[in-house]
Amino acid sequence: METAKITERGRLTRQRIIEATGEQILASGIGGTTLDTVRAATLTSKSQLFHYFPGGKAELVREVADWEGRQLLEAQEPEIHDLGSWESWERWRAMLVDYYIGRGRWACPIGSLATQASMTDPDLASSIAEGMRAWRGLLADGVRRMQRTGTVDGSADSERIATVILAAIQGGLVLSQPERSAWPLEAALDSALAPLHGVATTA
Amino acid sequence: METAKITERGRLTRQRIIEATGEQILASGIGGTTLDTVRAATLTSKSQLFHYFPGGKAELVREVADWEGRQLLEAQEPEIHDLGSWESWERWRAMLVDYYIGRGRWACPIGSLATQASMTDPDLASSIAEGMRAWRGLLADGVRRMQRTGTVDGSADSERIATVILAAIQGGLVLSQPERSAWPLEAALDSALAPLHGVATTA
DNA sequence: TCTTCATTGGACTTCATAGTCCATTCCTAA
DNA sequence: TTAGGAATGGACTATGAAGTCCAATGAAGA
């Protein structure tokens, strides 16, 4: 058994801790999130935090990053595995904007953690980099599907287009966050998506 | 007199503190930068830090943000005030990539601070937002110059194009940082600049 | 029922860091 | 030369947050 004995009740508590920590990190950053505020929000005790996360805060943050990463990918279902038509890309785009802005996140759980912690926690940094690569891979798959249908020039570099789209998301959020407006994100995203519907970038 | 009495010697010390703090923040983040490490790096004493920055760490960080913002704009001189030809844009792009990657920064002093502190320090957040707007304005000026020469479609929204370029920079850096590779930044930037030399986005 | 172990509560310890205070040194101008 | 204020040194305090420890509780199977 890899994970020590854990009952259903324990699993729920553990999950509750992860989700509450995720919310606090998104709202206040890693530095603004303390074990005491997590404890208060989850109605747990110090010993529980260390019982479920023996590695302390660092391990907890890493688990949060993993979980948020999975959530982010799940939120993009089912479109993320389609992306074979412009309509699918449009639905995916709408979902994404809603995920970030509509739900009041205003930041990417992954991208934001990347800039916050990549310099202090190498483990977390590589985990995040891996998540980014996975995400980029799914987008690149979509781009290749568009190339197969002929909508997109077959000679274009699909990985590169996927990277540009990801960068647009992350950069758009960096600008949207302080402005509290969705439009930088939408502008950046639409600009990056332009090559996917056979229309030149018109800005 | 707005600023209290300060001699040339004092001004230099103060500046030394700002620059060292800026380097540490860029390398280790705000949380990873302590007054003690700054003190050690600058060969100063605790009392000096509070003598020059009565508001403590928060004020120091804000001064750093201001100074880094000015540095960032200065680094783009003189091109940032030209940008009237594609060649000028190319020179500007090269300068920028060198500023971030060539000098081992791997992060934007402004964008990185935005995600690190905008949620905890509203003053800093608005100061950063203002810096972003100023920067965007300069880029938009350049875009309009390109429109006047006819290289760029005059009906395009110059502010929007400028925003997309800024987002490409910020997002490119988010991706470049964990990968320790310049190419995400270059890909995003080149894609955003494509509309400026009359070539459709080819990725 | 009883045993065992996961789960929980919460006080306590340790430590890093922001911030305070006062004495001392350095510079400059009268 | 000297007086005054800026600049500096560094010990000290206060605080908050991470992490430890042990006792108490709850649940599930023998």
Side-chain angles (χ1 to χ4, degrees), chain A residues 15 26 36 39 173 189 195:
Chain A
Q15 184 60 22
L26 210 53
D36 266 340
R39 189 186 48 66
L173 283 170
L189 198 41

Side-chain angles (χ1 to χ4, degrees), chain A residues 47-130:
Chain A
S47 67
Q48 280 166 290
L49 297 183
F50 284 87
H51 179 67
Y52 295 112
F53 308 95
K57 187 177 182 180
E59 180 179 345
L60 173 54
V61 171
R62 252 171 270 142
E63 293 285 336
V64 167
D66 274 5
W67 185 75
E68 294 273 18
R70 283 196 301 275
Q71 285 296 109
L72 178 52
L73 286 185
E74 275 179 29
Q76 297 170 67
E77 296 290 356
E79 301 304 339
I80 189 73
H81 278 105
D82 178 355
L83 299 180
S85 65
W86 172 243
E87 289 70 30
S88 177
W89 280 94
E90 275 188 317
R91 282 192 297 273
W92 169 80
R93 172 208 182 278
M95 275 176 162
L96 205 65
V97 172
D98 179 67
Y99 173 85
Y100 287 125
I101 309 297
R103 312 253 150 152
R105 282 192 175 79
W106 293 106
C108 181
I110 301 308
S112 163
L113 280 177
T115 49
Q116 279 184 63
S118 66
M119 21 212 181
T120 53
D121 188 334
D123 283 350
L124 181 54
S126 62
S127 157
I128 284 173
E130 192 183 351

Side-chain angles (χ1 to χ4, degrees), chain B:
Chain B
M1 67 187 94
E2 49 171 15
T3 51
K5 305 276 182 58
I6 189 170
T7 68
E8 179 62 12
R9 179 163 162 237
R11 212 190 50 74
L12 287 176
T13 300
R14 192 186 135 98
Q15 184 59 24
R16 191 155 39 96
I17 293 171
I18 290 178
E19 298 191 15
T21 306
E23 285 171 23
Q24 291 191 14
I25 287 181
L26 210 54
S28 318
I30 295 178
T33 299
T34 74
L35 296 186
D36 266 339
T37 58
V38 170
R39 188 187 48 66
T42 54
L43 297 176
T44 54
S45 64
K46 235 17 179 339
S47 68
Q48 280 165 291
L49 297 184
F50 284 86
H51 179 67
Y52 295 113
F53 307 95
K57 187 177 181 180
E59 181 179 344
L60 174 54
V61 170
R62 252 171 273 143
E63 293 285 335
V64 167
D66 275 4
W67 184 76
E68 293 273 19
R70 284 195 301 274
Q71 285 296 110
L72 178 52
L73 286 185
E74 275 178 30
Q76 296 171 67
E77 296 289 356
E79 301 304 339
I80 190 72
H81 278 105
D82 179 355
L83 300 181
S85 65
W86 173 243
E87 289 70 31
S88 178
W89 280 94
E90 273 186 320
R91 283 192 297 273
W92 170 79
R93 173 210 181 278
M95 276 177 163
L96 205 65
V97 171
D98 180 66
Y99 174 84
Y100 288 125
I101 309 297
R103 315 257 150 149
R105 282 192 175 79
W106 292 106
C108 181
I110 301 308
S112 162
L113 281 177
T115 50
Q116 278 185 64
S118 66
M119 24 213 181
T120 54
D121 188 334
D123 284 350
L124 180 54
S126 63
S127 158
I128 283 173
E130 193 183 349
M132 282 284 191
R133 273 193 296 275
W135 192 2
R136 192 186 64 190
L138 292 173
L139 293 178
D141 286 345
V143 172
R144 282 189 284 272
R145 264 177 229 116
M146 295 297 277
Q147 288 178 317
R148 253 179 258 120
T149 69
T151 320
V152 173
D153 178 12
S155 70
D157 182 341
S158 56
E159 292 289 341
R160 184 185 162 98
I161 295 180
T163 299
V164 169
I165 294 171
L166 263 191
I169 295 170
Q170 300 301 331
L173 283 169
V174 170
L175 300 189
S176 277
Q177 192 170 16
E179 301 273 357
R180 289 285 137 166
S181 158
W183 93 260
L185 171 62
E186 295 182 314
L189 197 42
D190 289 341
S191 169
L193 292 180
L196 293 177
H197 59 301
V199 173
T201 308
T202 59

